[in-house]
Amino acid sequence: MGFLLLITGDPNRQKYKKHFKHKYLIIKDYQKMKHIKRLVWEIIPTGTPLLKKKCNRCNDSNLYYSSDRFRLNSQKRYIDVWLIYRCIQCDSTCNITILSRTKPQLINEELYQRFSLNDKQTAWQYAFDPDIASKNSLNIDFGNLEYNIIGKCTSLNDISKQEESFIEIEIKTDFEFPLKLTSLLRKGFNISSAQLNKMFEKGIITIQSSS
């Protein structure tokens, strides 16, 4: 039995397409189709991505991890805010600029409070933000980023028994990062790369983006 897999709610504005080699089957008005099995997968990273930067202290590493802590400095009429990173080898610190010479009245009061309290969610948002890395002339390393899927996953056994010919998976995440679709499907369906590739080759699975 074959089925059409619909991917919706892409968190990265279709960025995953460059990671996915299979063609997309375009079907108009699929929302009107009957017998669709709908799943919602929330992607929860287990940590923040690393930052690519040569360590000037140990010279053995070019990767830093986020400490989830902010540094604030007030000088006269301006405030600077940094996110503190540490070398994965020697633990030396590196400050990544979040706000530079910013007038206090221009900073949202709630956001400033989160900076002061080292709010973890706020630190993660900035750690995942490619614009912050670019602003500091650095690059984010997503290579070893792991995540969990929260929601109802399914297995090959479930797929073989289901009555529906279509599966719609809505992807949700609070953070922007390159989400490789094949890895996501392997994890969600609990299958190997060989099994997934064979399902594509035999036409058991066909992928369609929602846009």
Side-chain angles (χ1 to χ4, degrees), residues 126-153:
Y126 285 110
F128 276 89
D129 190 343
D131 291 335
I132 292 296
S134 178
K135 178 181 177 180
N136 287 270
S137 299
L138 298 170
N139 293 311
I140 298 176
D141 182 7
F142 292 102
N144 296 314
L145 185 66
E146 297 184 355
Y147 58 86
N148 294 318
I149 299 176
I150 306 300
K152 184 178 180 181
C153 295

Side-chain angles (χ1 to χ4, degrees), residues 59-147:
N59 290 320
D60 290 332
S61 170
N62 62 350
L63 293 173
Y64 280 72
Y65 70 92
S66 173
S67 68
D68 294 342
R69 299 183 66 83
F70 294 98
R71 177 187 171 192
L72 285 73
N73 184 40
S74 177
Q75 293 185 350
K76 296 181 179 180
R77 296 176 298 172
Y78 300 100
I79 290 178
D80 296 309
V81 180
W82 298 274
L83 180 59
I84 303 173
Y85 277 76
R86 291 185 175 275
C87 172
I88 64 172
Q89 293 289 346
C90 68
D91 225 32
S92 63
T93 60
C94 168
N95 296 328
I96 303 302
T97 301
I98 303 300
L99 297 177
S100 177
R101 293 184 58 79
T102 303
K103 294 181 179 180
Q105 60 267 30
L106 297 180
I107 304 176
N108 179 276
E109 185 175 342
E110 182 182 348
L111 177 60
Y112 184 82
Q113 187 73 3
R114 295 202 299 268
F115 286 147
S116 302
L117 296 175
N118 292 312
D119 179 70
K120 182 177 179 180
Q121 182 74 5
T122 303
W124 279 42
Q125 290 287 352
Y126 285 110
F128 276 89
D129 190 343
D131 291 335
I132 292 296
S134 178
K135 178 181 177 180
N136 287 270
S137 299
L138 298 170
N139 293 311
I140 298 176
D141 182 7
F142 292 102
N144 296 314
L145 185 66
E146 297 184 355
Y147 58 86

Side-chain angles (χ1 to χ4, degrees), residues 6 8 23-24 60 82 122 133 135 141 155 169 171 173-174:
L6 304 165
T8 66
K23 295 181 179 179
Y24 293 82
D60 290 332
W82 298 274
T122 303
K135 178 181 177 180
D141 182 7
S155 66
I169 300 176
I171 301 173
T173 182
D174 290 334

Side-chain angles (χ1 to χ4, degrees), residues 17-32:
K17 285 186 178 180
K18 66 181 180 181
H19 299 282
F20 194 67
K21 297 180 180 179
H22 297 277
K23 295 181 179 179
Y24 293 82
L25 176 63
I26 305 302
I27 294 184
K28 298 180 180 179
D29 298 328
Y30 74 83
Q31 293 90 344
K32 298 180 181 179

